[in-house]
Amino acid sequence: MSKLPNIGTSIFTVMSKMASEHNAINLSQGFPNFPVDKTLTEIVAKLATENVHQYTPMSGYPPLLSKIAAFTKKSYSRVVHPETEILVTAGATQGIFTIITTLVKTNEEVLILDPSYDCYEAPVLLCNAKPIRVALNDDYTPNWEIIDKACSSKTKMIIINNPHNPTGKILKESDFQSLELLLEKYPNILVLSDEVYEYITFEEKHISANTREKLINRCIIVSSFGKSFHITGWKIGYLIAPEHLMKEIKKVHQFLVFSVNSICQVAISDYLDIVSTDDIKKMYQEKRDYFRGLLNGSRFELMPCEGTYFQVASYSAISNENDVDFCKRLITEYGVAAIPISTFYGDGKDLKLIRFCFAKDNATLEEAAKRLCTI
């Protein structure tokens, strides 16, 4: 008997497979198609001949842990201890899985704010715990009154995703103040803060949980080098948490993957001495603006994009189809793949919205926009 009877093939797999079958431009799955920074590939090439191919310590390559601590201090003015408060993971998804399976127990509840990324629910179910799906407002801001009402003595964790996938929204100062008041009311609730797009934000500054004194003792923060440095296939992420939580998380991590790819950790450690997060932000803001400009002549209504490399668009002026059917027709008739937003909701809420990934080279964005403007 299946432990996950209601979970099927990921919508990302479905749409990417259809895109391949129909030779469509794939703006569905969130991965860049442009080259990795040449400086990073040169670092990897040099390291390939060096003695960096055996296990690293379970928590991570020690120099990388120190670099992450320095990176965190530079970005957020937070001092973290490399040996006790940081863990390198095999991507953010593994980190999230490890956090939840470590800290959530049978019959406890985890609040998931919809629309939400699809990796949150499965580990909750595998813990024999209960996911509580709470919808964001239709403008994708949190309704803290409804979130408060969803909390109880059984609530063990609330998951926040900031910047938010799929919508591109970022949390504001007032949201963090509301979250902090909620935690005062419920002293046993932990926060999992998924911040994998933290260095891809635009006009408004990203507020990290790393900067919130009232949160950090009850919060596990998830980051992703794969997302930040457009090396998604490397599957390298990291967690920051207070020692009393990290100690327990490491117990599970050591039996799940033990240690993470050694050469990639060493390469990233060297790369952190060179890379500029301002350059990352600038590049993606240019791509966002370029893609939005290309779609100005289309019938799609573009939603605000404050962060991430995703653009949400309404097709309500084009069709009354549900978003899954519309996305399938977009592939078969127009040769462009997108993701239907309803699949990010526990109840399949359909607002006639789809998500495009603009982390693509300009030629790809231009051809995709050309096709989309014919609809």
Side-chain angles (χ1 to χ4, degrees), residues 27 29 46 114 137-138 169-170 191 243 260-261 280 285 288 301 317 349 367:
L27 301 188
Q29 204 163 357
K46 179 178 179 294
D114 279 353
N137 295 320
D138 285 354
K169 292 287 286 185
I170 60 174
V191 176
E243 183 177 1
V260 174
N261 187 295
I280 296 167
Q285 185 162 348
R288 181 203 64 173
E301 180 188 355
K349 184 178 182 179
E367 181 58 31

Side-chain angles (χ1 to χ4, degrees), residues 147-159:
I147 294 169
D148 190 341
K149 289 178 181 177
C151 293
S152 72
S153 59
K154 292 183 178 180
T155 308
K156 182 57 177 288
M157 182 178 289
I158 180 170
I159 301 175

Side-chain angles (χ1 to χ4, degrees), residues 135-310:
L136 297 170
N137 295 320
D138 285 354
D139 65 355
Y140 301 125
T141 56
N143 187 320
W144 290 103
E145 184 177 344
I146 293 176
I147 294 169
D148 190 341
K149 289 178 181 177
C151 293
S152 72
S153 59
K154 292 183 178 180
T155 308
K156 182 57 177 288
M157 182 178 289
I158 180 170
I159 301 175
I160 59 174
N161 180 200
N162 180 41
H164 187 260
N165 177 18
T167 69
K169 292 287 286 185
I170 60 174
L171 295 178
K172 307 300 189 285
E173 173 70 22
S174 59
D175 293 313
F176 279 97
Q177 291 173 348
S178 295
L179 175 60
E180 289 161 359
L181 288 173
L182 184 73
L183 295 186
E184 288 179 13
K185 184 176 179 180
Y186 297 96
N188 295 321
I189 294 179
L190 301 174
V191 176
L192 190 165
S193 184
D194 178 355
E195 301 188 22
V196 299
Y197 298 100
E198 61 195 307
Y199 296 111
I200 308 176
T201 58
F202 309 124
E203 287 80 10
E204 294 193 52
K205 186 177 179 181
H206 164 66
I207 301 174
S208 172
N210 279 298
T211 66
R212 312 300 297 193
E213 286 295 328
K214 293 181 179 179
L215 292 184
I216 56 177
N217 199 47
R218 293 165 61 180
C219 185
I220 311 94
I221 299 162
V222 183
S223 294
S224 169
F225 288 125
K227 295 294 193 298
S228 295
F229 301 153
H230 41 275
I231 47 172
T232 59
W234 287 29
K235 297 296 291 182
I236 304 286
Y238 61 95
L239 310 181
I240 293 178
E243 183 177 1
H244 70 282
L245 296 177
M246 186 62 82
K247 181 180 178 181
E248 298 305 310
I249 292 167
K250 286 179 178 178
K251 291 178 183 178
V252 175
H253 175 83
Q254 69 179 332
F255 295 113
L256 188 59
V257 295
F258 181 69
S259 64
V260 174
N261 187 295
S262 59
I263 190 171
C264 291
Q265 289 195 65
V266 179
I268 291 170
S269 179
D270 290 349
Y271 189 56
L272 284 173
D273 292 331
I274 303 164
V275 69
S276 166
T277 56
D278 289 338
D279 290 344
I280 296 167
K281 172 183 174 179
K282 180 175 181 290
M283 178 195 65
Y284 279 116
Q285 185 162 348
E286 288 174 353
K287 287 196 172 292
R288 181 203 64 173
D289 294 346
Y290 188 57
F291 185 55
R292 288 175 67 92
L294 291 170
L295 289 177
N296 273 343
S298 77
R299 297 166 66 197
F300 291 95
E301 180 188 355
L302 303 182
M303 302 295 107
C305 173
E306 299 170 346
T308 76
Y309 44 55
F310 300 117

